[in-house]
Amino acid sequence: MKAVHYGSNPQRPELARAIRRLERDVLRMGALVEQSFRLSHQALFARNLTAAEELPLLDKKIDRFYRQIESDCTAIMTLKAPTAQDLRCLSAFMQLVRDLERIGDYAEDLAEIAIKIFPYAPHTCLSEIEAMSLHAQAMLATSLKALGDFDEGGGRRLKHLDDTVDDAYDRVYQTLAQQRDVPGVVEPILLLALAIRCLERMADHATNIGQRVAYIVTGQRS
C-alpha cells in the first residue's frame, strides 16, 4: 500500500514532513490490524490455534502505534501551529487510529472465541459467518486503500458495503436465537453470537475510517 502525501502547506516543509511521517505510521498500523484480522479468521474458521496464539503480541504492537500516533498528533497540534486544513487531517488521524485499535481488539476477541469453541463440532451457520468475516476484511482493506490514496469516493462507499455485513448479522442472529432442541451445552451458540457481534462492529469501524477519509478531503462530515 502506498502513502499518498497529504497536501500540507509547501511553505512549511518541517510540518509537511511530520504529517507525512504520521501518514506512514497510520498505514503501518493499518497493515498490522489487517494481519490481526486475518489471523483471527484462520483461528476461527480454519481452527488454527497457533494463529490465535499470535494475536496478543500483535495487539501490543498495534496499541503501541496507537499511543505513539496520538502523542505525535497532539505534539504537532500544540507545537507546530498547523493550518486549519492540517488540523482537520490530524484530528481525523486521531479518530481513525482509534477505529483501527478497536478492530485489533475485536480480532483478539475472535481468537479467544476460537480457542473456546475449538472442542465443539462446527455449527451449520459457520460458512455464513465466514463469508461475513471475509466481507468485513475486504471493507477494512478498502478503507485503508481510501486512506492511502485520500480517496473521498472510496471512503464513502464503505457505508454501502456495510449493509451486507449488517444483513448477515441479522440472519445469523435469528438462526442462532431460534435454534430448538440444542443437544448438550449452549456455549458454542453463545460464542458464535459473540463472534458475529465482533464482526459487525469491525465492519462499523472500517466504515468509520472511510467517513474520516472523506472528512479529511472535503471538510464535511456525513
Side-chain angles (χ1 to χ4, degrees), residues 117 122-126 128-129 132 168-182 186-197:
I117 209 170
H123 194 278
T124 54
C125 70
L126 203 61
E128 188 166 9
I129 300 175
M132 186 179 174
Y169 173 82
D170 290 339
R171 285 194 307 273
V172 176
Y173 181 84
Q174 288 303 317
T175 298
L176 296 173
Q178 296 174 17
Q179 191 163 350
R180 299 289 189 270
D181 301 321
V182 180
V186 298
E187 184 181 30
I189 294 174
L190 296 176
L191 290 170
L192 289 176
L194 288 173
I196 62 172
R197 179 58 177 163

Side-chain angles (χ1 to χ4, degrees), residues 131-132 134-144 146 153-168 199-200 203-204 206-207 210-211:
M132 186 179 174
L134 290 170
H135 190 82
Q137 287 178 70
M139 288 179 63
L140 175 59
T142 299
S143 72
L144 290 172
R156 293 195 188 281
R157 279 195 292 276
L158 269 297
K159 206 166 186 178
H160 301 293
L161 296 175
D162 190 42
D163 292 341
T164 299
V165 174
D166 287 342
D167 291 344
L199 290 168
E200 189 265 343
D204 285 346
T207 302
Q211 298 303 304

Side-chain angles (χ1 to χ4, degrees), residues 13-23 76 80 90:
E14 183 182 351
L15 176 59
R17 285 194 297 272
I19 292 179
R20 284 199 295 272
R21 282 195 299 271
L22 271 175
E23 292 172 25
I76 292 172
K80 296 187 181 297
L90 292 167

Side-chain angles (χ1 to χ4, degrees), residues 43-197:
L44 187 56
F45 302 107
R47 300 169 71 84
N48 181 350
L49 297 190
T50 301
E53 292 168 357
E54 294 181 41
L55 265 294
L57 180 59
L58 189 55
D59 192 59
K60 285 183 173 61
K61 293 180 181 179
I62 291 168
D63 288 345
R64 282 197 295 271
F65 261 113
Y66 171 55
R67 290 190 296 269
Q68 185 62 54
I69 291 167
E70 272 206 331
S71 176
D72 290 345
C73 285
T74 301
I76 292 172
M77 288 176 173
T78 55
L79 300 176
K80 296 187 181 297
T83 66
Q85 185 184 39
D86 292 328
L87 281 171
R88 187 170 79 219
C89 182
L90 292 167
S91 65
F93 280 172
M94 292 179 74
Q95 291 173 322
L96 69 83
V97 293
R98 176 59 176 163
D99 289 307
L100 286 171
E101 189 267 342
R102 291 301 296 134
I103 293 172
D105 286 346
Y106 283 121
E108 192 171 18
D109 290 344
L110 286 173
E112 292 174 3
I113 290 169
I115 292 169
K116 290 177 181 177
I117 209 170
F118 184 82
Y120 300 103
H123 194 278
T124 54
C125 70
L126 203 61
S127 61
E128 188 166 9
I129 300 175
E130 182 175 12
M132 186 179 174
S133 174
L134 290 170
H135 190 82
Q137 287 178 70
M139 288 179 63
L140 175 59
T142 299
S143 72
L144 290 172
K145 185 176 189 309
L147 174 62
D149 295 339
F150 286 110
D151 177 9
E152 173 201 355
R156 293 195 188 281
R157 279 195 292 276
L158 269 297
K159 206 166 186 178
H160 301 293
L161 296 175
D162 190 42
D163 292 341
T164 299
V165 174
D166 287 342
D167 291 344
Y169 173 82
D170 290 339
R171 285 194 307 273
V172 176
Y173 181 84
Q174 288 303 317
T175 298
L176 296 173
Q178 296 174 17
Q179 191 163 350
R180 299 289 189 270
D181 301 321
V182 180
V185 296
V186 298
E187 184 181 30
I189 294 174
L190 296 176
L191 290 170
L192 289 176
L194 288 173
I196 62 172
R197 179 58 177 163

